[in-house]
Amino acid sequence: MSDQNFDPMKKVRAHRDRVEAKRQRRSDEWRANIGIGISVVALALSIIALWRSW
């Protein structure tokens, strides 16, 4: 009777979920790095603007 709950796709789905989670985390890190880069550039531009206005 244990044939019914044997799902050959379960392992494939679990692996796919893990791969998807890893890809999601990588894209989140990428987005965070872009945000940091943009804020650093904005900070540098505002410092330059302040320095120029003196």
Side-chain angles (χ1 to χ4, degrees):
M1 294 299 285
S2 66
D3 268 1
Q4 274 180 311
N5 59 8
F6 174 70
D7 188 1
M9 288 298 291
K10 187 179 259 184
K11 195 178 279 186
V12 175
R13 267 202 304 273
H15 173 70
R16 202 171 285 146
D17 285 349
R18 268 200 305 275
V19 169
E20 188 61 40
K22 194 181 289 181
R23 184 184 298 134
Q24 187 66 39
R25 200 164 54 237
R26 197 177 298 135
S27 76
D28 285 351
E29 288 175 6
W30 190 70
R31 221 173 282 131
N33 287 343
I34 284 184
I36 290 171
I38 287 174
S39 58
V40 164
V41 167
L43 186 67
L45 284 177
S46 62
I47 287 175
I48 289 173
L50 277 175
W51 182 64
R52 282 275 179 92
S53 67
W54 272 359

